[in-house]
Every structure is written in structure tokens, then in C-alpha cells.
Amino acid sequence: MSMDVTFLGTGSAYPSPCRGASAVVFRTEGDCWLFDCGEGTQTQFMKSPLKAGRITKIFITHLHGDHMFGLPGFLCTVSLQCGSNPTKQCVDIYGPVGLRDFVQRSLDISHSQLVFQYRVHELLPSHDQCPEGEFKDFLSLRRENSVDPEDQGRTIYENLEEGSYELVADEQFTVKAFKLFHRVPSFGFVIEERGRPGKLNMEKIKELGIQPGPICGKLKLGATVILDNGQKVSPCDVLGDPIPGRKVCILGDCSGIVAVGGAKLCYDADILIHEATLDDSQMDKAIERGHSTPKMAAEFSNLCRAKKLILTHFSQRYKPQELVTDGDEDITVLKTQAQSCVLFGQDVTLAEDFMTINIPIKKNN
Amino acid sequence: MSMDVTFLGTGSAYPSPCRGASAVVFRTEGDCWLFDCGEGTQTQFMKSPLKAGRITKIFITHLHGDHMFGLPGFLCTVSLQCGSNPTKQCVDIYGPVGLRDFVQRSLDISHSQLVFQYRVHELLPSHDQCPEGEFKDFLSLRRENSVDPEDQGRTIYENLEEGSYELVADEQFTVKAFKLFHRVPSFGFVIEERGRPGKLNMEKIKELGIQPGPICGKLKLGATVILDNGQKVSPCDVLGDPIPGRKVCILGDCSGIVAVGGAKLCYDADILIHEATLDDSQMDKAIERGHSTPKMAAEFSNLCRAKKLILTHFSQRYKPQELVTDGDEDITVLKTQAQSCVLFGQDVTLAEDFMTINIPIKKNN
Ligand SMILES: [Zn+2]
Ligand SMILES: [Zn+2]
Ligand SMILES: [Zn+2]
Ligand SMILES: [Zn+2]
């Protein structure tokens, strides 16, 4: 099954003509999910080959404007576009507490009525995710209205043991979130594809005298069977190695994780998308603002042994080499800095708007 | 004094790569005002020669997303850009009741703290501005907080005699609003430059034996003076004809005005900016959606004897002739339709993103 991520916005703080505000699309044959939705994301969609109308889930890392001011307009435009297709499924939106109020009020004040349902599932953040005194409690914004709470979306609490929030668990994927440290509570998301059983070894099946049919099906599903001749066959006798699932980690703005659980969740990621707002020479300033540098991103990728590190969320002052003028910085310095810190030969890529990264199926171990 | 308007967004419903969402900048040597602020307006500013940081007043015609979803991000980015210039003056924002709540909440939820002050002055709309049953009363959103109401902005009521709302009255300009009919209450804005006294006729001044100095100044300000020789001189004896002020009218989405006062306010406009969302062949659909066609816009320009009619807010299906493909319409049809309806030789222009229209000083009558 094909799987890729496309960057629609890779700039920090605000959208510019060179780099849109944060937005990443995760796509498989069946699913199309949006991670962050800065102002202008709907227009970036139009400039890309992707279809905004295919998005069924939206994940917002944190409540800074450059990650969510595009959300009300995105929903309105998708609604307009599928006006003739009122069968569009419910859109599930995930983000910190406060997001539901923002979406509902923005749609309300703008007299917008979507033709599809949406639910905003809110993650409950904690005080250790931002500097003391910066934490804002938006729980009081919850509107006690007549809508069934199930229809509005649920509240998602941290699983304290694992240090994770469980957002999605379907047949193909699980999506979990974990806490990041930033100027305001921020989250990282881990998409994990479920592993699949190995292929039937048809030679062995033949040797055992098994006919293609229900018995093969049972074995493939992991059940032990007893043949007519009384012989017991376990799945491991006839199945190749299981095909491991892929793992994609998309982190919000941060100067680090809050607890080691985050690194565990990201362990062995095929793709780690990490911010690098400023270069290493500005690390103090980056940390003060709750941001990372290439070195910090590389160190996290070392910790979780990610195979590929993609940097994004660049300060708008970093320009492609050929466009560098007075006051700008050459963006390639960020790549060099990250490369000099990776310990396991991780591939380092600088994200660009409209760049698509393919995530190939894994080979069995 | 130079005066011009620049279109930063001329598309209806949503921003597209061809046409941004609604935004027009009115500029003189001293002032820079923004009319509507659809999503992506801040990026359109960056693509233009204009400076977002110069804006001191923002006028929002109505509370549809394509006219205001860019406002929170615009304010945040201006704040970031003038971070080192905390002397930026207060930004006055004008729009229908409900706008203040939207701005305050959006900034609050996104943890945004602007380095400058802003006030949202709210126009009280009335039920005759939209279809029955569509009117939403946002008065209840007013937050009773501890802030001095003067600091938050005032409520502006209609002057029932003139059918106008007085927004600005300074030494150079008055700005008034009037009611439009749309799916939701919408407003038109009339910027009127104050007339200036004519030039001193230096020949006559010499004839009367007046020396350049305070006496000339008094005459110029309109005062009658008595010379040393006892002669009485009135301003009209020595001043040329007064120089009339210019008038620029910027209308929000509408299928028409609510009362004839609107046309009176716009009378003799130098520039009339009017929407034309659909072409005349779709007039029924346009009216149903609270919009206008070129014919409707031209008829309003006839009613108020505007000198120049600029059409904008085009459905995204209308494309420049050279880009027309399947399902698109040729935009030039809108111009032809308007031209065939103007009765007084008004110039008709189709707005394009980044188009600037100069408004020359008027000659004395
Ligand atoms: Zn950010
Ligand atoms: Zn942030
Ligand atoms: Zn509109
Ligand atoms: Zn409208």
C-alpha cells in the first residue's frame, strides 16, 4: 500500500509567499489526513495535486495561529466544494482543549453551515508542557449545549503509564499523541501502521497436503488448525515473517519532549518530522522561544533511532541559496548542522512547500 | 495629495491561487486603511509593494469568512513585524456586531499578545439587511469584562435621518457606512475627503495692498479681515474656487441597498467599488445568494452618478480569457455586461489582484 507525506507549509510564525504556514498531509490509498492548518492551507491545497475534500481527519499540534488560523476557512471551502456530495463522511479533528470552541465560534460568527458533520476531540494538556505562568486553562470555554457530547467529540486524557494519548485505533492504523514542551502546550503525533502477517509459503502448504481454501485462511489469520490426518499445523509453520508496519512521527513546535515516553513512542520511526526554526548558532534564542535547532532535532532522532529526519517550520529568514539577500540566511546551513549530529546515518531532508516524501513498504525483517 | 486603492483580493467565497479573498487598501500620503481581510490577506500584502504595518484602520463589510478570516493572522503578523517598534499607534477596526468577540477570542485562544492596542468599533445591523430568519443577534456575545469600554471600541448606531453610520471624522476625511442587503447584514463604506479652500489669488492680494503673512492666513482659513485702511475683505474676494474633496465608495457583498440613503451617500463618487459575483445570465441565482451581477452594479452606479465603476468579488469560475478551460467562464463578459448598462459614460474596470487605481486631485469646479 502506498504511503506518503506532503508538505503544504514549512514556514514558522506566519505564511509567506515562499513558505506557507504549517500543514502536512499524510496519505495512503485509503486515508488522507491533515496535520496542522495554518492560514492559507486551503490555497496551498489548490496549488498542489492533493484534494482538500479527501481529508477525513485533522490533527492540530498546538493552538498557535500559524498552526490553526486556516482551519475555519478550510472547513468552509471543503463544504462549498462538496456541496453536491452531501455524503461526505464526518471529519474528526484532534487538538488541545480550546480548539473546539475556536472552530465552533468561528463558524458561528461567520454564519457558516457545513454540509458535513465534524467532531473536535480535545487533548487535555498539562502544566509541564510550557513555562510556568504561560498555561491557559481553556476548559471553562466548554459550552454546555444541548448537543450530545458524542456528536461534538470526546475529551482525550493522557495514559499516564505510557505517556500517550490514544486518538485513533482502526484496522490499519493507530495514532497516538505525546506531550511536547513549547511556549504553549504542544503535541507530537505518532501514526503507526499495524503489522501484517507474512505471506503463506505455498511450497510448505503443498508439502502438508493442504488445499487452497478455508484452512489457508485460518492459518493466515493466526489460528492453529488440525488437518484431517490429525496433524497439527501452527501459523508459524507456513507463514513467512510478518510484515512490520510503518511509523510516521509528526511533531509540533517544541524545544523538547516532556517525558521519555515520547521518545519510546517514536522509536524506530520511518519518518520523523521535527521543527528546526533557527540554526544552531541561535540555540539560546530558539530554546527561549520554545523552538528547536537542527542539532536538537538530530539528537531526538538519535534517541528514537528514526530512519529519516525531515526538518521543517523554518524561520522565514532562511532562504534557498539562490535567493539569499541582505538579512537572509542560507537554509542549507540547517541541513549541514543536522547532518553533523546524526549518529546512525539517518537521512536528513529539509522540507519545502509541495515536497512529497514516499514511505515504502517495509521488507519482512 | 496622492490617493489610490489597491486590490489585494478580488475573488468570492474563498481565496484561490488566481484571486485572493476580499481585501482592498485605500492609501493617501498619510493614511493606509484596509477594507475586508479575507484569509491570506497578509500574504497578499507581502506579494505587493504595500506595507501591512502601515495600516491604522480596518473596515470589515460583513461577517462572512471570505471577508474576515484573515484578520487574526493579519494582526499577529503586523505585531511580529513591528516588534522593535512598539510605538505603533492603535489600530481601529470597524465592522458588524460580533466582530470584536471573534477578534478577541481568536487572539486569546492562540495565545497572541499584540504589541499595539486595537479597538473594535461595532456597527449595529438591523433585520432589514438580510432574509428573514437569517439574522443572528450577536449582541449577547459582548463580554462584560473589566476593560474600559472606550478601550475596547464603541457601538455605532445608525443615524436614522441620513441612513448612515458615522465612523470617522478627522481633519481630512469622513468615513460613513450604510446598510446593504445580503445573506447576512453587510455594509458599504463611503470615504469622503474634506474640500479645501481655493488658492489665494496673489494678484488680487497685491491689488489690495496686503502683505504676505498673517492676514493672508486668516483669509485662507475663511475669516473676513479689516485692513488698516478700513477696507473689509472677505475670503471670497481673494480665494479661487474651493477644491472639492474626492469620494471613494467600497461596498460589501450585496444584492442591493436597503434604503435610498445609501445612494445619496455615494452620490458623485469618484470611485465606486461594487461586487459582481456572477454574470447577468445568472441574475436569479445571484440575487438568491445575496449577490449582484454587472447590470445590478451598473444600475447602482447610474443611481449615484459614480464616475468610475470597479467590479470585484468574482466567482472563481470566471477566468482571464487566456486561462479559460472546461467549466470556466471568460471574465471579460462581466465588463461587457456592465458597460452596456452604464448611462453616464462611467468607466468600467474589472479588479485584479494587485491592481492599483489612482484617484487624481479634482480640479476646482
Ligand atoms: Zn509555529
Ligand atoms: Zn508555536
Ligand atoms: Zn463574499
Ligand atoms: Zn458575503
Side-chain angles (χ1 to χ4, degrees):
Chain A
M1 185 178 65
S2 73
M3 181 186 290
D4 60 33
V5 291
T6 299
F7 292 85
L8 292 181
T10 59
S12 99
Y14 53 86
S16 85
C18 301
R19 293 188 183 276
S22 291
V24 176
V25 176
F26 169 83
R27 202 166 49 147
T28 64
E29 271 151 37
D31 289 294
C32 200
W33 299 344
L34 176 62
F35 289 79
D36 281 337
C37 188
E39 183 178 345
T41 297
Q42 57 170 308
T43 316
Q44 297 290 90
F45 260 102
M46 294 173 201
K47 287 185 186 171
S48 82
L50 306 181
K51 298 256 173 291
R54 278 198 58 206
I55 297 291
T56 54
K57 293 186 195 297
I58 300 172
F59 301 83
I60 302 295
T61 58
H62 66 296
L63 299 179
H64 271 156
D66 58 324
H67 298 256
M68 62 152 193
F69 277 166
L71 187 50
F74 177 84
L75 295 172
C76 289
T77 298
V78 168
S79 178
L80 273 178
Q81 285 172 350
C82 67
S84 52
N85 170 28
T87 59
K88 180 167 170 62
Q89 68 181 96
C90 180
V91 173
D92 285 293
I93 303 171
Y94 303 84
V97 167
L99 184 61
R100 184 187 302 141
D101 185 73
F102 171 70
V103 173
Q104 285 180 347
R105 282 185 190 272
S106 298
L107 296 179
D108 194 33
I109 202 86
S110 60
H111 305 74
S112 309
Q113 287 204 300
L114 306 182
V115 299
F116 53 85
Q117 299 288 310
Y118 73 94
R119 282 185 295 245
V120 184
H121 309 288
E122 295 188 319
L123 285 71
L124 191 71
S126 61
H127 287 260
D128 53 4
Q129 292 183 259
C130 64
E132 236 184 295
E134 299 277 323
F135 189 89
K136 285 194 181 191
D137 188 357
F138 291 126
L139 269 177
S140 59
L141 294 179
R142 302 285 180 96
R143 288 200 269 185
E144 299 298 331
N145 57 25
S146 54
V147 179
D148 180 346
E150 264 303 289
D151 289 345
Q152 286 199 68
R154 58 200 171 93
T155 303
I156 308 175
Y157 301 90
E158 188 182 10
N159 170 334
L160 293 169
E161 225 168 296
E162 196 185 54
S164 71
Y165 297 72
E166 287 187 26
L167 313 188
V168 179
D170 65 21
E171 287 181 4
Q172 287 199 298
F173 295 102
T174 61
V175 181
K176 292 181 178 177
F178 62 95
K179 299 195 284 187
L180 296 170
F181 190 85
H182 183 45
R183 294 298 304 176
V184 308
S186 180
F187 292 92
F189 298 108
V190 179
I191 310 167
E192 201 168 356
E193 186 187 25
R194 291 192 190 278
R196 282 175 295 165
K199 284 192 177 161
L200 273 181
N201 184 330
M202 293 313 290
E203 222 158 282
K204 282 199 182 154
I205 291 285
K206 233 181 215 169
E207 267 175 40
L208 291 163
I210 302 172
Q211 299 296 319
I215 292 176
C216 288
K218 278 184 190 167
L219 285 164
K220 188 133 199 193
L221 286 172
T224 296
V225 296
I226 295 170
L227 303 183
D228 286 347
N229 62 11
Q231 195 183 345
K232 201 170 160 183
V233 183
S234 325
C236 60
D237 298 333
V238 294
L239 290 180
D241 288 332
I243 299 163
R246 290 162 278 187
K247 192 188 273 192
V248 174
C249 304
I250 302 175
L251 274 60
D253 293 3
C254 68
S255 58
I257 51 177
V258 168
V260 73
K264 280 189 189 157
L265 283 170
C266 294
Y267 190 78
D268 211 21
D270 295 280
I271 298 268
L272 171 66
I273 297 174
H274 199 295
E275 70 129 299
T277 305
L278 296 172
D279 74 89
D280 288 339
S281 74
Q282 315 227 31
M283 196 180 289
D284 289 350
K285 197 165 148 189
I287 291 172
E288 189 200 318
R289 298 182 182 178
H291 288 301
S292 294
T293 68
K295 182 174 197 282
M296 294 160 73
E299 282 171 350
F300 184 71
S301 84
N302 291 335
L303 196 62
C304 60
R305 304 281 180 112
K307 300 196 182 69
K308 190 178 179 80
L309 170 62
I310 308 179
L311 301 180
T312 185
H313 197 269
F314 307 119
S315 162
Q316 302 276 1
R317 67 199 294 203
Y318 297 102
K319 295 270 158 55
Q321 220 158 8
E322 61 277 17
L323 294 181
V324 171
T325 58
D326 272 6
D328 295 334
E329 304 271 349
D330 177 357
I331 185 114
T332 54
V333 72
L334 298 169
K335 183 167 179 173
T336 316
Q337 291 175 348
Q339 279 173 327
S340 72
C341 295
V342 293
L343 294 177
F344 308 103
Q346 299 99 306
D347 180 65
V348 176
T349 301
L350 301 185
E352 292 292 333
D353 286 14
F354 309 114
M355 175 188 273
T356 294
I357 308 272
N358 189 44
I359 306 141
I361 293 189
K362 286 184 165 178
K363 297 191 187 87
N364 359 9
N365 295 330
Chain B
M1 186 177 65
S2 73
M3 181 187 288
D4 61 31
V5 291
T6 300
F7 292 85
L8 292 180
T10 59
S12 99
Y14 53 86
S16 85
C18 301
R19 294 188 182 276
S22 290
V24 177
V25 177
F26 169 83
R27 200 166 50 146
T28 63
E29 270 151 38
D31 290 293
C32 200
W33 299 344
L34 176 61
F35 289 78
D36 282 336
C37 188
E39 183 178 346
T41 297
Q42 58 170 307
T43 317
Q44 296 291 88
F45 260 102
M46 293 173 201
K47 287 185 185 171
S48 82
L50 306 182
K51 299 257 172 291
R54 277 198 58 206
I55 297 290
T56 54
K57 294 187 194 297
I58 300 172
F59 301 83
I60 302 294
T61 58
H62 66 297
L63 299 179
H64 271 155
D66 58 325
H67 298 256
M68 61 151 195
F69 277 165
L71 187 49
F74 177 84
L75 295 172
C76 289
T77 298
V78 168
S79 178
L80 273 177
Q81 284 173 352
C82 66
S84 53
N85 170 28
T87 59
K88 180 167 168 63
Q89 69 181 96
C90 179
V91 173
D92 284 293
I93 305 171
Y94 303 83
V97 167
L99 184 62
R100 185 186 302 140
D101 186 72
F102 171 70
V103 173
Q104 285 181 347
R105 283 184 190 272
S106 298
L107 296 180
D108 193 34
I109 202 89
S110 59
H111 305 75
S112 308
Q113 287 205 298
L114 306 182
V115 299
F116 52 86
Q117 298 289 309
Y118 73 94
R119 282 185 295 245
V120 184
H121 309 288
E122 295 188 319
L123 284 70
L124 192 72
S126 60
H127 287 259
D128 53 6
Q129 294 183 260
C130 65
E132 236 183 296
E134 299 278 323
F135 189 89
K136 285 195 182 191
D137 188 357
F138 291 127
L139 270 177
S140 59
L141 294 178
R142 302 283 179 99
R143 288 200 271 187
E144 297 300 329
N145 58 26
S146 54
V147 179
D148 180 347
E150 264 302 289
D151 290 347
Q152 286 198 69
R154 59 200 171 93
T155 302
I156 307 176
Y157 301 91
E158 188 182 10
N159 170 333
L160 293 170
E161 225 168 295
E162 196 185 55
S164 71
Y165 296 71
E166 286 186 27
L167 313 188
V168 179
D170 65 21
E171 288 182 3
Q172 288 199 298
F173 295 103
T174 61
V175 181
K176 292 180 178 179
F178 61 95
K179 299 195 285 187
L180 295 171
F181 190 85
H182 183 46
R183 296 298 302 175
V184 308
S186 180
F187 292 92
F189 298 108
V190 179
I191 310 167
E192 201 169 355
E193 185 187 25
R194 292 192 191 277
R196 281 176 297 164
K199 283 192 180 162
L200 274 181
N201 183 330
M202 293 314 289
E203 224 158 281
K204 283 197 180 155
I205 291 283
K206 235 183 216 167
E207 268 174 39
L208 292 163
I210 302 172
Q211 299 296 318
I215 292 176
C216 288
K218 279 184 190 164
L219 285 163
K220 189 134 200 192
L221 286 171
T224 296
V225 295
I226 295 172
L227 303 182
D228 287 347
N229 62 13
Q231 195 184 345
K232 202 168 159 186
V233 183
S234 326
C236 60
D237 299 333
V238 294
L239 290 180
D241 289 331
I243 300 164
R246 288 161 279 187
K247 192 188 274 191
V248 174
C249 304
I250 303 175
L251 274 60
D253 294 2
C254 66
S255 57
I257 51 177
V258 168
V260 73
K264 280 190 191 158
L265 283 171
C266 294
Y267 190 77
D268 210 22
D270 295 280
I271 299 267
L272 171 66
I273 298 174
H274 198 294
E275 70 127 300
T277 306
L278 296 172
D279 74 87
D280 288 339
S281 74
Q282 315 226 31
M283 197 180 289
D284 289 350
K285 197 163 147 192
I287 291 172
E288 190 199 319
R289 297 182 182 178
H291 288 302
S292 295
T293 68
K295 181 173 197 283
M296 295 161 73
E299 281 170 354
F300 184 70
S301 84
N302 291 335
L303 196 61
C304 61
R305 303 281 179 113
K307 300 197 182 68
K308 191 179 178 77
L309 170 63
I310 308 179
L311 302 179
T312 185
H313 197 270
F314 307 120
S315 163
Q316 304 275 0
R317 68 199 295 203
Y318 297 101
K319 294 269 159 51
Q321 219 159 10
E322 62 275 18
L323 294 181
V324 171
T325 58
D326 272 6
D328 295 334
E329 304 271 349
D330 177 356
I331 185 113
T332 53
V333 72
L334 298 170
K335 184 167 177 171
T336 316
Q337 291 175 348
Q339 279 173 329
S340 72
C341 295
V342 293
L343 293 178
F344 307 102
Q346 299 98 307
D347 180 66
V348 177
T349 301
L350 301 185
E352 292 292 332
D353 286 15
F354 309 115
M355 175 188 275
T356 294
I357 308 271
N358 188 43
I359 305 142
I361 293 189
K362 285 186 166 176
K363 296 190 189 90
N364 357 11
N365 297 330

